[in-house]
């Protein structure tokens, strides 16, 4: 019988806790975006979110004494690439999508991204394609497809297409981030990423200032929440876990996000889940359970 070293158990526990925290916070972000999206336009909201996150992470980095800005040209370009793809473009597109579909539906559609990550990681990172990963992906894909069939209105389909585009940007961002974390620590990567993302969105600063002048206090506080928790805390926790495990297998855990988002939107926004949402969410969770089953085939170690 194989003996598991206590240190390995501790590491696994920390990785699981970090991934779980990111999942819960990201699920809450779909609800927060839906709640404040009526007061702030997609790009200005993304700018405020990333600016708040950048400030929060700067304070944390200074307090921790982990400020590191001397990066190689390659490392900085990688940080900038995933910042533009995931932190800036993905956030803007998701904000726009949630103007047309509810939080739970958006979460379900966006979380097609793990399928893309698993496929790309298997091909480019040598992580392989275990039977459980393939079957779990197909089951979860079926759940996401089921929820998409409930989008029958023209506005709903606009939201569906935007959320699918967000999923593509999300997947591309994860893949670039995985490579980035081989050259820079997680805190530095997300900190500089938020700074770069905010800088990219600065052209929308005048519009943000104008909208903030008439925005209700709740919308402003919701935007601050998005910057501090789902972005600063959530992405830092995710980077910690991603640096220490396979991208494809870890990203499959995010299939739990839609179920949590559906529940939160129901409780906080009174967005009653449809039959499609309930069944699709259940299938997504089933896909997570299947994909997390360990394969007998050795898994490639891709930690940087």
């Amino acid at each position: 019988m194989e003996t598991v070293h206590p240190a390995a158990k501790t590491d696994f526990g920390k990785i699981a806790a970090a991934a779980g925290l990111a999942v819960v916070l990201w699920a809450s972000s779909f609800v927060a975006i839906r709640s404040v999206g009526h007061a702030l336009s997609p790009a200005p909201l993304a700018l405020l979110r990333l600016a708040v996150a950048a400030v929060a992470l700067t304070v944390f980095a200074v307090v921790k004494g982990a400020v590191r800005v001397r990066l190689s040209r390659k490392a900085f370009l990688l940080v900038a690439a995933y910042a533009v793809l995931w932190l800036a473009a993905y956030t803007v597109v998701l904000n726009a999508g949630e103007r047309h579909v509810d939080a739970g539906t958006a979460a379900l559609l966006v979380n097609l991204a793990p399928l893309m990550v698993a496929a790309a990681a298997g091909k480019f990172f040598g992580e392989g394609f275990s039977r459980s990963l393939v079957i779990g992906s197909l089951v979860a894909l079926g759940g996401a497809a089921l929820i998409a069939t409930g989008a029958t209105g023209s506005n709903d389909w606009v939201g569906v297409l935007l959320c699918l585009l967000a999923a593509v940007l999300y997947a591309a961002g994860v893949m670039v981030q995985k490579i980035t974390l081989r050259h820079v620590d997680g805190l530095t990567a997300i900190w500089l990423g938020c700074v770069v993302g905010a800088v990219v969105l600065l052209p929308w600063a005048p519009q943000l200032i104008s909208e903030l002048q008439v925005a209700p206090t709740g919308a402003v506080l919701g935007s601050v929440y998005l910057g501090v928790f789902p972005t600063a805390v959530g992405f830092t926790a995710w980077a910690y876990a991603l640096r220490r495990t396979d991208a494809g297998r870890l990203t499959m855990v995010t299939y739990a996000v839609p179920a949590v988002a559906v529940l939160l939107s129901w409780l906080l926004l009174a967005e009653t889940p449809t039959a499609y949402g309930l069944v699709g969410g259940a299938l997504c969770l089933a896909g997570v359970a299947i994909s997390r089953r360990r394969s007998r085939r050795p898994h490639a170690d891709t930690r940087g």
Side-chain angles (χ1 to χ4, degrees):
M1 185 175 180
E2 184 179 358
T3 302
V4 180
H5 195 277
K9 290 184 177 180
T10 301
D11 290 342
F12 177 79
K14 290 180 179 179
I15 293 172
L21 177 61
V23 164
V24 173
L25 291 177
W26 286 350
S28 73
S29 73
F30 287 95
V31 178
I33 291 170
R34 182 71 171 168
S35 177
V36 306
H38 64 283
L40 296 174
S41 301
L45 173 57
L47 170 58
L48 179 57
R49 175 178 180 174
L50 292 178
V52 169
V55 172
L57 287 168
T58 299
V59 173
F60 178 74
V62 170
V63 171
K64 189 178 179 182
V67 176
R68 177 188 172 189
V69 294
R70 291 185 178 180
L71 302 180
S72 66
R73 183 173 180 271
K74 179 179 181 180
F76 179 77
L77 289 176
L78 285 170
V79 170
Y82 103 80
V84 171
L85 286 170
W86 195 356
L87 298 176
Y90 161 80
T91 304
V92 173
V93 173
L94 177 60
N95 291 347
E98 288 208 52
R99 288 191 156 200
H100 303 283
V101 297
D102 62 84
T105 299
L108 284 163
L109 294 171
V110 166
N111 276 274
L112 288 174
L115 287 172
M116 306 173 194
V117 172
K123 180 175 178 60
F124 298 111
F125 292 163
E127 294 182 7
F129 303 93
S130 68
R131 180 182 299 178
S132 60
L133 188 64
V134 173
I135 295 175
S137 297
L138 291 175
V139 172
L141 176 60
L146 183 61
I147 191 63
T149 62
T152 55
S154 58
N155 276 347
D156 290 346
W157 275 112
V158 169
V160 167
L161 292 175
L162 286 170
C163 288
L164 289 176
L165 175 57
V168 173
L169 294 168
Y170 167 12
V174 170
M175 296 301 295
V176 176
Q177 187 191 41
K178 179 64 177 179
I179 301 172
T180 302
L181 292 175
R182 296 174 181 172
H183 302 276
V184 61
D185 64 278
L187 177 58
T188 300
I190 185 61
W191 169 46
L192 290 181
C194 286
V195 172
V196 171
V199 170
V200 168
L201 294 173
L202 277 179
W204 284 271
Q207 185 179 352
L208 172 60
I209 294 173
S210 176
E211 293 183 358
L212 283 176
Q213 293 175 349
V214 296
T217 303
V220 177
L221 292 177
S223 302
V224 172
Y225 169 84
L226 282 167
V228 174
F229 293 99
T231 308
V233 178
F235 275 88
T236 300
W238 176 259
Y240 174 89
L242 184 61
R243 187 180 177 89
R244 292 164 175 79
T245 191
D246 293 341
R249 185 165 293 274
L250 176 65
T251 309
M252 297 301 291
V253 177
T254 62
Y255 274 130
V257 170
V260 179
V262 167
L263 178 61
L264 290 177
S265 66
W266 183 22
L267 294 175
L268 301 177
L269 302 179
E271 293 182 340
T272 305
T274 64
Y276 289 107
L278 292 173
V279 177
L283 284 175
C284 286
L285 286 177
V288 173
I290 294 171
S291 69
R292 296 300 293 170
R293 294 179 61 187
R294 293 188 178 276
S295 171
R296 293 182 180 180
R297 180 175 57 80
H299 220 60
D301 186 357
T302 61
R303 287 174 289 183

